[in-house]
């Protein structure tokens, strides 16, 4: 019997795996058929188990499953027995008997890992406190479409070393592009920076210098709202704005996974500018996740 493959972190995927997923996502977006059936999820059900709010991830997975011929089932964690203390290992084994794959948005990365350990169906990480790999697949597809070589570009991150930043680091380690993060002290990424093409600085200008892609995210992520005032102070000077863009390469594209706090981590002017790819970035979540679902469920 084939071992079930999951999508928990980009660290588990090779460079070829990532590039093949992006190739297929791009073909799907253009409406090109793959090698397999036109509706690869026909007769299959995919659970969407969410512990946190979501607009893009929830809707793009729901619509993506439907477009592939499958049946999405949204499960808020508070509506199932998991919320009342049923162990993850029991939930995973039971849901594996009904579903063909499960998409999970939750808190600790260890939760999706524990789920995957007991699951006989693919588990997809739809955001944990540690990582957001689906977001980075969408971001990479967006930059490819804009004409960048995602294996040789210089990309930058300005702001919190959060789950999205962590997944950017994982992507840079796999693909080899240069990636410089500017994070205030105390807000460094959790993923180790142990390769020559990734660098951490305290200087947003150094990060932005000659970059062709610059990304940021909110200063207080979901669950960190109580720290908001402290974070507001810590992140002064780490705003993505026109002044920072003066140091970037040409062309330079601006990304934001959304939702954004205009006037905090990014200016409204830049978010709405000709440099911004945010709407394509949001759309591309749908295409990369369809490629991922097809890949995991056609094995
Ligand atoms: N970028 C992202 O994951 O958006 P949602 O939180 O709306 O899903």
């Amino acid at each position: 019997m084939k071992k079930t493959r999951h999508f928990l972190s980009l660290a588990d995927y090779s460079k070829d795996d990532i590039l093949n997923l992006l190739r297929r996502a791009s073909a799907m977006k253009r409406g090109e058929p793959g090698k397999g059936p036109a509706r690869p999820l026909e007769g299959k059900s995919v659970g969407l188990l969410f512990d946190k709010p979501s607009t893009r991830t929830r809707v793009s997975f729901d619509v993506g499953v439907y477009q592939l011929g499958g049946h999405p089932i949204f499960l808020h964690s508070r509506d199932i027995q998991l919320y009342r203390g049923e162990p993850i290992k029991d939930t995973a084994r039971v849901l594996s008997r009904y579903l063909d794959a499960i998409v999970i948005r939750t808190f600790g990365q260890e939760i999706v890992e524990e789920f995957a350990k007991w699951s006989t169906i693919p588990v997809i990480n739809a955001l944990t406190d540690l990582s957001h790999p689906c977001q980075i697949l969408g971001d990479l597809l967006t930059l490819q479409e804009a004409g960048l070589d995602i294996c040789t570009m210089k990309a930058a991150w300005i702001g919190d070393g959060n789950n999205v930043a962590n997944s950017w680091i994982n992507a840079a380690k796999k693909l080899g592009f240069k990636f410089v993060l500017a994070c205030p002290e105390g807000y460094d990424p959790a993923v180790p920076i142990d390769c020559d093409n990734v660098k951490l600085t305290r200087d947003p200008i150094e990060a932005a210098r000659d970059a062709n892609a610059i990304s940021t995210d909110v200063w207080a992520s979901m669950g960190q709202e109580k720290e908001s005032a402290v974070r507001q102070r810590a992140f002064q000077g780490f705003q993505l704005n026109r002044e920072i863009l003066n140091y970037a390469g040409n062309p330079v594209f601006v990304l934001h996974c959304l939702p954004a706090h205009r006037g905090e981590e990014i200016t409204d002017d830049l978010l709405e500018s000709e440099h911004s790819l945010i709407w394509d970035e949001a759309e591309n979540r749908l295409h990369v996740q369809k490629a991922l679902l097809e890949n995991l469920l056609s094995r």
Side-chain angles (χ1 to χ4, degrees):
M1 205 173 77
K2 269 192 179 171
K3 196 171 176 294
T4 305
R5 190 160 198 205
H6 306 290
F7 185 71
L8 305 182
S9 167
L10 288 174
D12 305 331
Y13 277 59
S14 69
K15 177 176 179 176
D16 280 351
D17 289 336
I18 295 168
L19 294 178
N20 285 335
L21 281 171
L22 296 178
R23 209 170 288 122
R24 182 66 188 125
S26 181
M28 281 178 143
K29 187 173 180 178
R30 293 192 302 270
E32 291 172 14
K35 290 185 189 129
R39 288 162 60 85
L41 268 60
E42 183 93 60
K44 296 184 193 288
S45 299
V46 177
L48 310 178
L49 176 56
F50 280 56
D51 251 341
K52 293 180 174 182
S54 170
T55 298
R56 282 142 287 272
T57 309
R58 177 178 171 175
V59 177
S60 56
F61 266 113
D62 196 317
V63 170
V65 171
Y66 169 75
Q67 289 182 355
L68 294 174
H71 173 52
I73 303 175
F74 183 77
L75 303 162
H76 194 286
S77 58
R78 71 171 167 260
D79 296 333
I80 63 171
Q81 301 290 7
L82 193 62
Y83 186 69
R84 293 179 58 244
E86 185 169 17
I88 292 169
K89 63 181 178 181
D90 294 4
T91 308
R93 282 176 289 183
V94 170
L95 291 182
S96 292
R97 302 290 177 111
Y98 306 136
L99 301 170
D100 297 282
I102 187 154
V103 174
I104 302 178
R105 168 168 288 202
T106 188
F107 295 89
Q109 182 79 12
E110 69 282 359
I111 296 173
V112 290
E113 283 170 5
E114 170 78 354
F115 209 106
K117 182 177 159 189
W118 295 97
S119 172
T120 55
I121 57 171
V123 176
I124 296 175
N125 175 357
L127 179 146
T128 66
D129 293 343
L130 183 70
S131 63
H132 197 1
C134 292
Q135 181 65 53
I136 303 312
L137 287 181
D139 291 6
L140 291 171
L141 178 62
T142 308
L143 294 173
Q144 255 186 348
E145 287 177 341
L148 295 188
D149 180 336
I150 58 168
C151 296
T152 60
M153 66 182 176
K154 180 187 171 186
W157 177 269
I158 295 175
D160 191 15
N162 67 6
N163 47 8
V164 181
N166 289 330
S167 289
W168 264 108
I169 295 171
N170 285 331
K173 286 185 180 185
K174 293 292 175 174
L175 298 183
F177 61 84
K178 191 167 182 198
F179 185 54
V180 183
L181 305 97
C183 308
E185 206 166 340
Y187 298 92
D188 291 350
V191 169
I193 296 175
D194 49 8
C195 59
D196 292 342
N197 58 313
V198 182
K199 190 179 171 195
L200 175 66
T201 173
R202 305 286 174 224
D203 179 4
I205 292 173
E206 186 188 349
R209 200 177 296 283
D210 302 324
N212 299 114
I214 309 182
S215 199
T216 187
D217 196 2
V218 290
W219 291 339
S221 294
M222 283 182 280
Q224 296 171 334
E225 291 79 3
K226 281 186 188 149
E227 301 168 29
S228 194
V230 176
R231 284 174 169 265
Q232 288 276 342
R233 286 192 292 277
F235 284 92
Q236 289 310 309
F238 286 81
Q239 184 188 65
L240 183 48
N241 53 35
R242 290 265 182 194
E243 197 191 323
I244 295 287
L245 226 63
N246 285 334
Y247 298 90
N250 183 19
V252 59
F253 302 108
V254 168
L255 298 176
H256 192 305
C257 61
L258 300 175
H261 290 174
R262 288 167 163 83
E264 292 186 12
E265 77 277 2
I266 190 165
T267 55
D268 178 63
D269 161 53
L270 203 50
L271 209 51
E272 303 288 352
S273 75
E274 68 282 11
H275 299 284
S276 170
L277 299 177
I278 57 164
W279 310 119
D280 291 333
E281 182 185 7
E283 179 188 335
N284 283 336
R285 294 292 305 281
L286 172 67
H287 306 296
V288 295
Q289 289 160 193
K290 282 171 70 180
L292 183 62
L293 286 163
E294 181 189 67
N295 179 276
L296 292 173
L297 288 170
S298 306
R299 297 168 63 81

